[in-house]
Amino acid sequence: MVKGKIYGVALGPGDPDLLTLKALKCLQKADRIYYPGSVSPSGEKNSHSLKIMSPHGLDTDKMQGIFIKMSMDRNQTEELYSQVFQDILEDYRKGLKVVIVSEGDIAFYSTFAYLLERIYCNELDFEMIAGIPAFILAGSVHRFPLALQSDKVAVLAQLNSLEELEKRLKDFETVVIMKLSTVKGEICQFIRENKLDFFYGERLGTDQQYTTTSVEELENRRIPYFSLMIFNKYIHLN
Ligand code: SAH
C-alpha cells in the first residue's frame, strides 16, 4: 500500500518570521496543508493560521481550511474533525505529504489534538514540529523575564473563579491566563483591589498587536479570543 506522511506543524504565535525553519521547509514540501479557522455568525471566515502562512509564498491550491462556527459545541467540533480526518486519510493513502498546522506550539492547547488520537488509532506515520507558544512571545514583546532561577510558572487555559487565581498567585511566581475573554470584568476589579502588576497582550506578533499594563485601558477594551494575561513581579521593570 502506498502511504504518505502526516506532519503536525506549529506556526508560532502570529509573526510570520517566528515560524521555525523546520516548519517552513515542511510547509514548502507539503502536498496538502490543512489549517484551522473560524466562521462568525454572519458567515465571515477568518484564519489566524492562514495569515501567518500567507507571506511565505506557499501554493494556495494545496491549502484546505477547517472552519469552526463559533456556535459549535464540543460534539459538533468533534464531528467536523472526524470528517476532516477522512479527507486526511484519503490523502495519506494516496502517498501525499499532509501537513496540519496550528498557531503557537503544536502540542500546547492545540486543535491538532482533535486529530492526534485518530492518527494514533490508525497507526499512521506522523511527526510533530514544535513552535513558539504565544505566552513565550509575551516575554520578548514586553521585554521582561517570564521566569528566573527557581520561579514556578502556572498556565491556566481558562479561569474558573477568582479564588482559583488568588490561589495560583500564592503558589506560583508567574501566572499566565489564556482564553481570557470570559472573565475580563472580574479580573479588572481583582487587579484594582490587590494592586497587581500585570501584562495584557492581544494578537501578539501580528500587525494588530496591542499590549497594556494599565487596568483603566483594559477595562474599556473588548477582549478578543487571541489574548492573554501574565502576572509576575518583573512586569513593572519595564
Ligand atoms: N497553541 C497555542 C495556544 C492555543 S489556545 C500556543 O501555543 O500559544 C488559544 C489561546 O492562546 C488564546 O485564547 C490566547 O489566550 C492564546 N494565544 C494564541 N495566540 C495568541 C496571540 N498571538 N496573542 C495573544 N494570545 C494568543
Side-chain angles (χ1 to χ4, degrees):
M1 187 184 80
V2 216
K3 64 183 180 94
K5 184 158 176 180
I6 295 177
Y7 298 83
V9 174
L11 296 177
D15 180 346
D17 281 354
L18 287 180
L19 196 73
T20 64
L21 281 177
K22 191 162 180 170
L24 183 58
K25 286 179 193 166
C26 190
L27 289 169
Q28 286 165 339
K29 285 190 194 142
D31 298 306
R32 183 95 69 229
I33 300 172
Y34 288 89
Y35 64 90
S38 60
V39 190
S40 73
S42 62
E44 198 189 324
K45 286 185 175 171
N46 206 341
S47 170
H48 187 54
S49 295
L50 189 60
K51 284 184 199 141
I52 300 172
M53 290 188 287
S54 8
H56 291 294
L58 302 164
D59 179 359
T60 49
D61 288 347
K62 61 187 186 187
M63 303 274 190
Q64 181 75 46
I66 308 171
F67 287 97
I68 310 265
K69 287 195 190 115
M70 284 163 186
S71 56
M72 276 182 175
D73 62 20
R74 176 103 198 163
N75 286 342
Q76 290 167 315
T77 310
E78 281 285 355
E79 177 58 32
L80 173 67
Y81 270 94
S82 152
Q83 287 162 18
V84 170
F85 183 70
Q86 291 311 313
D87 296 340
I88 292 172
L89 208 51
E90 214 171 285
D91 291 341
Y92 180 90
R93 289 182 175 144
K94 282 186 203 149
L96 301 186
K97 277 193 175 59
V98 185
V99 167
I100 302 145
V101 298
S102 189
E103 47 83 29
D105 177 50
I106 191 75
F108 193 67
Y109 303 111
S110 163
T111 45
F112 182 63
Y114 282 109
L115 297 165
L116 203 51
E117 203 179 322
R118 294 178 172 94
I119 295 172
Y120 288 139
C121 290
N122 287 272
E123 295 179 14
L124 308 183
D125 186 12
F126 85 106
E127 188 178 328
M128 283 163 71
I129 298 177
I132 300 173
F135 84 96
I136 295 289
L137 173 60
S140 299
V141 166
H142 188 61
R143 301 178 300 177
F144 76 111
L146 287 171
L148 291 175
Q149 295 165 355
S150 59
D151 288 350
K152 295 186 289 304
V153 180
V155 179
L156 312 182
Q158 70 188 56
L159 189 64
N160 297 315
S161 66
L162 288 177
E163 288 72 45
E164 186 186 358
L165 178 57
E166 214 165 358
K167 190 167 178 307
R168 301 297 173 229
L169 287 168
K170 279 199 190 100
D171 294 343
F172 295 85
E173 284 74 14
T174 299
V175 175
V176 179
I177 308 174
M178 295 162 71
K179 301 187 183 170
L180 252 188
S181 31
T182 49
V183 283
K184 184 199 109 180
E186 298 139 76
I187 287 195
C188 286
Q189 201 183 333
F190 182 81
I191 289 171
R192 274 188 188 283
E193 284 168 9
N194 295 280
K195 298 192 174 52
L196 294 171
D197 285 325
F198 73 93
F199 165 83
Y200 165 82
E202 71 185 41
R203 302 186 169 107
L204 295 170
T206 72
D207 51 11
Q208 293 170 293
Q209 171 174 294
Y210 167 85
T211 68
T212 186
T213 54
S214 145
V215 71
E216 288 78 19
E217 275 189 36
L218 190 61
E219 270 166 343
N220 296 315
R221 194 141 184 106
R222 222 194 107 257
I223 305 295
Y225 176 72
F226 287 106
S227 62
L228 54 79
M229 191 177 250
I230 301 180
F231 295 93
N232 82 11
K233 63 183 173 201
Y234 311 113
I235 283 159
H236 76 276
L237 295 176
N238 183 335

